[in-house]
Amino acid sequence: RGFNDRTLQKFELGYALNGWENFSEEAVKKGYNKELLEKTGLIVKKEDGSDSYRSYDRFRGRVIFPVHNISGKVIAFGARMLGKDKNQPKYINSPETEIYHKSNVLYGLYQAKNAIRQHDNCFLVEGYTDVISMHQSDVENVVASSGTALTEDQIKQIRRFTENVTVLFDGDAAGIKAAIRGIDLILKGGLNARVVLFPDSEDPDSYSRKVGTAEFQKYLKEQSQDFVS
């Protein structure tokens, strides 16, 4: 994707080695409690009918996207496969835990909150890589609902920093449908909604890489329109 070192560090991107127990063995060696690793969904218990059980790492052979809470603590992970395997989902995510409730977390809000306040506007995109690519194009006031439909709790989170949301969506039918659902909630939450539509089959990630930073910023400015009108 062309992410540079600064971006990798900013979002703490990483990689989970292939192999069933690379992560858990290393974690236990460093003093982490196995029960807690299980509670946070990092390792999965394998029941085999008897009293004894073995466990395995949830994330294996994948690029890792840490999910931060508003104060910058990592509370969950998203993991994307490299290459293609028909039997594996492209993304897997941490399950709901005591510290991670999907419905009230927005990916990238920790990295974006100051820029959202500063610009008095929040761009809303669909996925992790959209958020990260936009940061590389120097657009930092951006968050993602990370593959779940937008929720009222997430809208309340945005509202702490701005009343203006600009929804960026893929130019295909599915993208438009998803965006409209989110916009209903944004309006219901009392926020102002603007939209930017990308050319067909483009998304914020692909388009920002295609046209470059200056052109991308210009596109966002010129194409942004009030949803209601």
Side-chain angles (χ1 to χ4, degrees), residues 1 3 11 13 63-67 76-80 91-94 100 102 106-108 125-135 143-147 205:
R1 299 288 177 128
F3 297 152
F11 289 92
L13 303 183
V63 174
I64 300 289
F65 298 87
V67 177
F77 299 92
R80 189 193 193 283
Y91 277 99
I92 52 176
N93 302 298
S94 291
Y100 175 57
K102 240 189 337 229
L106 285 159
Y107 181 74
V125 295
E126 223 175 314
Y128 307 129
T129 50
D130 293 325
V131 169
I132 297 168
S133 288
M134 285 179 66
H135 272 259
V143 300
S145 57
S146 318
D205 174 38

Side-chain angles (χ1 to χ4, degrees), residues 66-177:
V67 177
H68 300 80
N69 68 10
I70 197 88
S71 61
K73 287 202 168 82
V74 175
I75 52 170
F77 299 92
R80 189 193 193 283
M81 70 187 295
L82 289 175
K84 287 181 170 53
D85 179 350
K86 290 280 188 291
N87 306 319
Q88 290 288 331
K90 190 158 128 186
Y91 277 99
I92 52 176
N93 302 298
S94 291
E96 294 267 317
T97 64
E98 285 172 42
I99 55 169
Y100 175 57
H101 304 288
K102 240 189 337 229
S103 61
N104 55 23
V105 175
L106 285 159
Y107 181 74
L109 186 57
Y110 166 65
Q111 289 89 347
K113 57 187 182 181
N114 295 337
I116 293 171
R117 239 190 223 122
Q118 201 183 330
H119 295 281
D120 196 16
N121 177 40
C122 177
F123 288 113
L124 182 66
V125 295
E126 223 175 314
Y128 307 129
T129 50
D130 293 325
V131 169
I132 297 168
S133 288
M134 285 179 66
H135 272 259
Q136 280 214 156
S137 295
D138 294 329
V139 179
E140 297 191 346
N141 50 326
V142 55
V143 300
S145 57
S146 318
T148 57
L150 199 62
T151 66
E152 284 177 33
D153 284 337
Q154 289 171 329
I155 286 162
K156 282 184 191 138
Q157 294 267 353
I158 294 173
R159 203 173 179 161
R160 290 167 60 181
F161 303 100
T162 184
E163 306 242 307
N164 304 301
V165 177
T166 303
V167 181
L168 308 184
F169 47 96
D170 311 359
D172 61 9
I176 292 170
K177 212 163 152 184

